[in-house]
Amino acid sequence: MITVRNISKYKEEHPTVITIGTFDGVHIGHLKILNKIINHAKNTELKSSVLTFFPHPRMVLQKDTNIKLLNTIEEKIGILEKLGLDILIIHPFTKEFSRLTATEFVRDMLVNTLKIKKVIIGYDHRFGRNRNANISDLITFGGTYDFTVDEIPAQEIDDVSVSSTKIRKALEDGDIETANSYLGYEYMLTGTIVKGKGIGKQLGYPTANLSIAEDYKLIPKNGAYIVNSFLNGKVVHGMMNIGYNPTVNGTDKSIEINFFDFDADLYDLKIQVNILVRLRDEHKFESIDALKTQLARDKEKSLQFINR
């Protein structure tokens, strides 16, 4: 897959079939559209392409927004590449870009730069300055610039009752099972392992402390979770705590993973942690011994789930 970070520095020479959107989460609803363009490309002489944007338009146009995203850019690239996409364009979304008219967007970006021959798009897609153009306008542009438009009808998309907003809500509520079912894969956290305070080791459960650079990444509700990662060539399971470690009077939020049957130096390593199941809320226990007892129960429950 070719990944283009700025469309102004790119010109495609091969005709393409394209879809356009933010695709946050790349969930099972998005796959309705993405699989259509990939399959169409395989059956024609066209290349499959996605035009997406970063930052998320709401981050730029609504300055007071506190929206958190389901994917970092690198996570999104990895998911789309696995689908078999030919070209991914991640265009910087700016206020200047948002002021492009629908004509400028279609003519200059889609037709002249990306050489589109077909657009496959959801029924409710809007584009251009103030989002004032719709799919009917896109079809009209197609007649002018020699491309066709396939509309994904409302019923087909709504049959998959999924949205990025619903997934964000599930994660904020700690409902990881619902979030994962909507995503079609385990929700992931990607970050670098950094040194912590060593409290887990003192308790008999040494942890890897995950630092996530992207402050826009949505972190699920505080609590304990069953997770896995791909480390040193194999899948390694563990349990993860998100929160403030109130029993030991913690003040900073942390993400700590206790990997099972794994002993290696992970410091400064960038890893992906997949969240499988939520174990419980974070609690302040009456004593360190009570915390140790709970951690033993968490581990036992995790191993039962892993070995089921």
Side-chain angles (χ1 to χ4, degrees), residues 21-240:
T22 53
F23 296 106
D24 186 31
V26 196
H27 55 62
I28 58 175
H30 294 144
L31 292 182
K32 285 269 188 179
I33 297 175
L34 295 169
N35 285 333
K36 279 183 180 290
I37 69 161
I38 290 166
N39 291 332
H40 184 83
K42 288 178 180 176
N43 295 323
T44 63
E45 296 299 315
L46 304 180
K47 285 187 177 181
S48 59
S49 57
V50 165
L51 173 58
T52 191
F53 309 101
F54 187 81
H56 191 288
R58 281 172 57 186
M59 291 177 168
V60 175
L61 301 178
Q62 303 172 24
K63 281 299 184 183
D64 59 342
T65 185
N66 60 353
I67 185 173
K68 297 292 184 179
L69 302 186
L70 301 172
N71 300 135
T72 67
I73 285 295
E74 297 306 319
E75 288 169 350
K76 183 183 290 189
I77 290 171
I79 296 167
L80 290 170
E81 188 164 23
K82 287 177 183 175
L83 294 178
L85 187 69
D86 292 320
I87 307 165
L88 171 63
I89 303 102
I90 305 166
H91 189 70
F93 193 92
T94 62
K95 285 188 175 180
E96 181 183 19
F97 173 76
S98 74
R99 295 188 187 106
L100 284 182
T101 65
T103 301
E104 290 169 332
F105 175 68
V106 172
R107 180 193 63 211
D108 300 342
M109 299 188 74
L110 300 186
V111 177
N112 293 342
T113 302
L114 296 177
K115 209 170 181 180
I116 63 165
K117 286 298 176 183
K118 179 179 283 292
V119 180
I120 300 179
I121 206 83
Y123 70 98
D124 57 351
H125 183 75
R126 302 192 70 85
F127 63 100
R129 186 182 299 167
N130 298 322
R131 301 180 73 245
N132 60 2
N134 59 26
I135 195 156
S136 296
D137 299 305
L138 192 59
I139 292 168
T140 300
F141 282 124
T144 302
Y145 295 110
D146 190 28
F147 63 84
T148 59
V149 179
D150 279 7
E151 176 185 354
I152 311 291
Q155 182 179 356
E156 190 169 339
I157 291 179
D158 292 346
D159 279 348
V160 183
S161 182
V162 174
S163 71
S164 300
T165 301
K166 286 183 179 180
I167 298 170
R168 291 186 197 109
K169 179 67 166 56
L171 291 168
E172 288 165 354
D173 291 343
D175 187 357
I176 192 70
E177 289 87 350
T178 294
N180 287 350
S181 70
Y182 284 168
L183 287 167
Y185 57 88
E186 285 93 16
Y187 189 67
M188 67 186 77
L189 298 176
T190 306
T192 303
I193 301 300
V194 298
K195 285 189 179 293
K197 296 179 179 178
I199 295 170
K201 190 173 183 178
Q202 295 172 24
L203 296 172
Y205 296 89
T207 59
N209 291 263
L210 190 71
S211 174
I212 298 175
E214 295 86 356
D215 59 4
Y216 60 83
K217 171 74 176 183
L218 191 154
I219 309 301
K221 183 180 180 181
N222 290 357
Y225 296 84
I226 303 173
V227 300
N228 69 25
S229 291
F230 193 70
L231 304 172
N232 291 354
K234 65 177 182 178
V235 175
V236 180
H237 286 84
M239 55 187 185
M240 174 178 72

